[in-house]
Amino acid sequence: MAEGDGGSDQRQNEEIEAMAAIYGEEWCVIDDCAKIFCIRISDDIDDPKWTLCLQVMLPNEYPGTAPPIYQLNAPWLQGQERADLSNSLEEIYIENIGESILYLWVEKIRDVLIQKSQMTEPVPDVKKKTEEEDIECEDDLILACQPENPVKALDFDVSENRTEIEELPPIDHGIPITDRRSTFQAHLAPVVCPKQVKMVLAKLYENKKIASATHNIYAYRIYCEDKQTFLQDCEDDGETAAGGRLLHLMEILNVRNVMVVVSRWYGGILLGPDRFKHINNCARNILVEKNYTSSPEESSKTLGKNKKCSWSDGLSENPGVSICSYVLK
């Protein structure tokens, strides 16, 4: 029983960190010990017409055998409209039992708000006074990219006429984040086979700056159409659990056929849990920038229904050795 509880705690912590990285200031910690959180969801971030606050409490059994306990708060949400939205959230849980579903819930609510804004005139926005001291750490990320110690984005000369499946794919580089003299930068490449993963790593390590990084954390997800499975794996490179957290973020965003590497240059000051936020923020930013994030509908259809395969074949020095584990709904 203790092992199961520990597994639930780890999955919850990974999901919480991923949600904080995805939604930034929209995500608020109400009670960290009791696992109570709130997220402010609107139809449009820049010009919101309809807004709703989703408050969730994560029981110890979530996500394995119990759903989050939730509350929907909005002055306009009443009667049948509230019942319909609650039913939609509960259907998502039933379709994805055992999986992390907070992202799917948030984006479903956002979809409802967008549809509502297209169909009706907004009611006066009743803004609640809320304290935001709990998200001070997110403010640091806005100011994190300091010009005095930039990691310059790299521009590799990759031919545009690549047709072979095992040719080196193009590599893109994200905007660096610097915090307390540590710098983080994400690199992204489309990949469709494990050999390409190895080629991308080799190409990145040709750059002396990347090769000298304290950690080069990576994760990839490749969708196998014929078997309807995901081929995926990750690497911490000395930053314990960072690869798994990065892969978890990619699973929540439901990205496919892509590899993300996050380089960290340690600046001599320990960052604690903030380092994982920076790693996830770097990864999310470049995935969004390169249009790899999928719609909530696609996420709901695939999350929990596809087999996930972690395969080290092609990256191992022993080509005949593979490690493959399937997780079925």
Side-chain angles (χ1 to χ4, degrees):
M1 181 64 71
E3 183 177 347
D5 292 343
S8 293
D9 285 345
Q10 181 178 350
R11 293 181 67 186
Q12 285 185 13
N13 290 336
E14 289 174 353
E15 184 176 18
I16 291 164
E17 288 169 1
M19 293 293 287
I22 294 169
Y23 295 110
E25 292 187 357
E26 291 181 304
W27 177 262
C28 180
V29 179
I30 304 297
D31 188 328
D32 198 17
C33 293
K35 298 289 181 69
I36 301 174
F37 307 93
C38 182
I39 181 165
R40 188 173 184 270
I41 309 163
S42 58
D43 59 322
D44 188 298
I45 294 175
D46 297 323
D47 184 23
K49 296 177 181 177
W50 297 95
T51 300
L52 182 151
C53 288
L54 170 67
Q55 184 171 312
V56 295
M57 183 177 74
L58 306 183
N60 293 333
E61 298 81 8
Y62 172 79
T65 59
I69 299 167
Y70 71 96
Q71 182 175 334
L72 301 170
N73 298 319
W76 52 265
L77 187 65
Q78 299 175 6
Q80 190 60 44
E81 200 168 21
R82 176 182 288 274
D84 290 343
L85 183 52
S86 296
N87 288 338
S88 296
L89 300 186
E90 286 157 19
E91 285 174 7
I92 290 174
Y93 169 71
I94 292 170
E95 291 172 1
N96 300 279
I97 290 176
E99 299 291 337
S100 302
I101 60 167
L102 294 184
Y103 173 79
L104 298 181
W105 275 10
V106 171
E107 293 306 315
K108 176 61 181 178
I109 293 170
R110 196 184 306 278
D111 269 358
V112 170
L113 298 180
I114 291 172
Q115 291 174 15
K116 190 173 179 65
S117 69
Q118 293 171 347
M119 295 170 55
T120 61
E121 290 297 320
V123 296
D125 186 18
V126 180
K127 293 186 178 180
K128 297 182 179 180
K129 295 180 180 180
T130 58
E131 300 293 332
E132 295 186 356
E133 288 85 359
D134 288 331
I135 49 176
E136 288 179 354
C137 56
E138 255 67 21
D139 295 336
D140 295 338
L141 305 186
I142 300 172
L143 305 173
C145 190
Q146 300 173 1
E148 64 227 25
N149 184 25
V151 178
K152 295 182 180 179
L154 308 170
D155 186 14
F156 294 127
D157 182 17
V158 179
S159 172
E160 295 181 358
N161 298 319
R162 304 287 189 180
T163 56
E164 296 285 334
I165 192 172
E166 292 183 350
E167 289 288 346
L168 175 69
I171 303 173
D172 291 296
H173 310 276
I175 298 172
I177 290 175
T178 301
D179 180 15
R180 285 164 280 180
R181 297 190 298 192
S182 279
T183 301
F184 304 78
Q185 186 180 24
H187 322 281
L188 177 149
V191 293
V192 294
C193 66
K195 186 171 182 181
Q196 283 188 319
V197 173
K198 195 170 184 179
M199 293 169 69
V200 170
L201 289 172
K203 185 64 178 178
L204 287 173
Y205 273 93
E206 288 179 9
N207 181 274
K208 292 181 180 179
K209 184 69 177 178
I210 293 176
S212 67
T214 313
H215 310 288
N216 283 301
I217 304 115
Y218 72 82
Y220 66 88
R221 301 189 82 215
I222 299 169
Y223 185 65
C224 309
E225 292 283 353
D226 55 342
K227 298 179 180 178
Q228 294 191 338
T229 64
F230 274 98
L231 181 66
Q232 60 185 38
D233 208 350
C234 58
E235 170 59 44
D236 297 336
D237 193 30
E239 186 70 283
T240 304
R245 294 166 192 259
L246 175 59
L247 180 58
H248 189 72
L249 173 69
M250 294 171 71
E251 288 175 336
I252 288 178
L253 294 176
N254 192 33
V255 299
R256 60 178 64 190
N257 299 332
V258 65
M259 172 184 188
V260 177
V261 181
V262 179
S263 302
R264 180 199 181 181
W265 291 267
Y266 178 58
I269 300 174
L270 296 174
L271 302 186
D274 284 352
R275 67 191 190 278
F276 297 117
K277 295 180 183 178
H278 296 329
I279 291 167
N280 274 1
N281 271 290
C282 278
R284 177 189 176 273
N285 290 345
I286 198 168
L287 285 166
V288 170
E289 179 187 347
K290 299 303 174 182
N291 298 315
Y292 275 92
T293 53
S294 64
S295 68
E297 291 85 356
E298 291 171 347
S299 297
S300 183
K301 289 177 183 177
T302 57
L303 185 60
K305 296 182 180 180
N306 290 314
K307 292 178 285 185
K308 303 170 197 170
C309 176
S310 177
W311 188 18
S312 62
D313 193 16
L315 303 180
S316 171
E317 295 299 323
N318 300 317
V321 177
S322 65
I323 303 171
C324 194
S325 61
Y326 291 93
V327 181
L328 296 170
K329 178 183 174 184

